[in-house]
Amino acid sequence: MLWTVLAAALIAVLPWALTRLAEKAARLGRLGPVFLCYAAGLLGSFFFRAVRADMSVVTTLYSVFVMLAIPLILFSADLGAVRRLARPMLLSFALGTAAVLVTASAGFVLFARAFPAPRTSADVAAMLIGMYTGGTPNTLAIGKALGAGDSILLVQTADIVCGGAYFLLLISVLPGLFGKVLRPYRGGGRMEAEAGALTQELGSERKAGRTAGVVKSVALAAGCVLVSAALALALPVEEGAGRFSNIDRYTAVIMLAVTTLGVALSFVKKVRALPGSYDAGQYLILMFSVGMGLCFDLESLGAMLTVLVMVLFIELVTVALHLLLAKLCGIDRDTMMITSVAGVFGPAFIIPAARALKNDEIVLPGILCGILGYAIGNYLGIGLGTLFLRLAG
């Protein structure tokens, strides 16, 4: 009991402390709060394993965190604004998404025999579909829905290595290289004129009533989880479910249901206007990261190199295929690159990427594509992941 309380305290406090540390230390800030929380949890797992602590309660806790985080993050998303995107931007994002689906499916087949357990390749491929259409929240949700276990941490760590290298190239040499393949950007100024007001509408977090807004948002998210759990429990028990167990089926239904409810409620203006919901969801993701690290099975580190190679393969081929499709469809350089950033990295990386391209007009469309990726990532990852698991046996 004592170790459980200590673990719960670490999960609650470490995200706040590490976020503040990342803000003050530039080098740590480059790693990001999510990586720091995983790393801190992983270091803590040595201690809890040494004292033989029962981590079952902690496992339940961090599973609940990611279920709550998904609707909280989606509540503040103005998905209705996606209709304002120009056709080339939507087409490029769709091409990037298609590239991820094709490449992840190929990766599942190619790496199936590279892991000790056949299902690991399916788990990794499915999580990367969520990672490269939406972001970390989708990866965590898909991993929990499919029962991926320790593979979640391995994928997250490998993506930090591969993704970090890609982003450095993206803001340095790739604009010049891609510019030799794709035509230059020709903007009309319409999105730039709307950017100020709509960006404020998308990202504003009012200070007034923030605490009350967080409480209401969390309560609403908890309601989404309860409704989703009730739907899952209404499912009949599947006899001989095999590797994809009934528990995994229930979790998958819950994740898809909370995503659907989160998307639906984002269209309610009063819900979308609640201050602090997005930040609360992100904090729960950090708490999940600490808890996942604390419960990590160190024996799984043996699969790290294979996961790293698989992540590198899927990321590189996805970008190359997206570039080829953009060339065939006449997409310009800036549009292709900003939608690639939206899919591979998410909304938070749009502004530095746009600065590297010296194009402020693509900031808002990039953010909207990133938000759209959050909304569709779970459906695509869990849907194809379920198919992959069936095929893996």
Side-chain angles (χ1 to χ4, degrees):
M1 182 64 180
L2 174 62
W3 303 128
T4 301
V5 173
L6 176 60
L10 290 174
I11 290 171
V13 174
L14 278 177
W16 175 85
L18 293 172
T19 300
R20 296 297 175 272
L21 183 63
E23 291 172 353
K24 293 181 179 180
R27 291 183 179 179
L28 291 177
R30 294 190 190 101
L31 297 175
V34 172
F35 177 80
L36 293 176
C37 286
Y38 270 128
L42 185 60
L43 290 174
S45 69
F46 287 96
F47 169 78
F48 286 101
R49 187 169 294 275
V51 298
R52 298 182 179 180
D54 181 6
M55 304 300 281
S56 57
V57 175
V58 176
T59 302
T60 302
L61 276 176
Y62 73 62
S63 298
V64 173
F65 293 155
V66 74
M67 292 179 186
L68 287 170
I70 294 298
L72 281 170
I73 289 171
L74 289 172
F75 285 163
S76 60
D78 188 0
L79 293 172
V82 171
R83 68 181 183 275
R84 305 187 195 185
L85 287 175
R87 181 180 175 276
M89 192 68 65
L90 280 174
L91 175 59
S92 181
F93 183 75
L95 294 175
T97 301
V100 173
L101 298 180
V102 171
T103 307
S105 299
F108 158 64
V109 175
L110 293 174
F111 287 86
R113 296 183 180 180
F115 294 96
R119 67 161 288 158
T120 305
S121 177
D123 291 334
V124 173
M127 284 188 283
L128 289 176
I129 288 172
M131 175 74 76
Y132 296 149
T133 53
T136 298
N138 301 94
T139 306
L140 303 182
I142 294 165
K144 291 305 299 179
L146 301 181
D150 296 329
S151 296
I152 301 174
L153 179 57
L154 295 178
V155 167
Q156 189 67 33
T157 305
D159 176 70
I160 289 171
V161 176
C162 299
Y166 173 47
F167 192 73
L168 287 175
L169 292 172
L170 194 144
I171 60 176
S172 56
V173 300
L174 287 184
L177 293 176
F178 284 7
K180 295 179 180 180
V181 178
L182 303 176
R183 66 177 179 83
Y185 177 82
R186 299 186 185 93
R190 181 177 64 87
M191 292 298 294
E192 187 175 14
E194 296 178 353
L198 191 52
T199 301
Q200 184 178 6
E201 180 183 344
L202 284 168
S204 63
E205 289 285 2
R206 301 189 311 272
K207 293 183 178 179
R210 185 179 179 83
T211 301
V214 170
V215 171
K216 291 177 182 178
S217 298
V218 172
L220 193 57
C224 291
V225 173
L226 290 175
V227 171
S228 302
L231 290 174
L233 291 174
L235 290 175
V237 176
E238 182 179 346
E239 298 294 337
R243 293 182 181 277
F244 193 54
S245 66
N246 284 293
I247 292 178
D248 292 336
R249 289 175 63 239
Y250 294 151
T251 307
V253 170
I254 292 172
M255 290 300 181
L256 291 174
V258 296
T259 301
T260 303
L261 290 172
V263 169
L265 288 171
S266 73
F267 287 94
V268 180
K269 190 173 182 179
K270 289 184 178 180
V271 174
R272 193 169 64 245
L274 286 172
S277 63
Y278 182 86
D279 288 344
Q282 289 293 345
Y283 196 85
L284 285 172
I285 291 296
L286 297 180
M287 293 174 72
F288 174 93
S289 301
V290 174
M292 189 75 194
L294 289 175
C295 298
F296 184 63
D297 182 1
L298 298 177
E299 295 178 0
S300 299
L301 285 174
M304 182 68 217
L305 181 59
T306 307
V307 171
L308 184 65
V309 174
M310 185 172 177
V311 171
L312 182 62
F313 167 80
I314 290 178
E315 184 169 349
L316 286 178
V317 177
T318 292
V319 173
L321 183 56
H322 188 189
L323 178 65
L324 174 62
L325 293 173
K327 175 65 175 178
L328 293 175
C329 294
I331 304 295
D332 63 86
R333 182 200 67 171
D334 291 10
T335 296
M336 178 271 161
M337 293 189 71
I338 208 66
T339 51
S340 178
V341 172
V344 175
F345 299 104
F349 290 81
I350 294 297
I351 292 177
R355 286 175 180 168
L357 294 170
K358 298 179 182 180
N359 187 347
D360 292 336
E361 189 174 339
I362 58 175
V363 170
L364 178 61
I367 291 173
L368 290 174
C369 287
I371 291 171
L372 179 61
Y374 278 155
I376 66 174
N378 286 352
Y379 299 108
L380 296 175
I382 294 174
L384 277 179
T386 303
L387 175 62
F388 293 160
L389 287 171
R390 298 293 187 187
L391 294 175

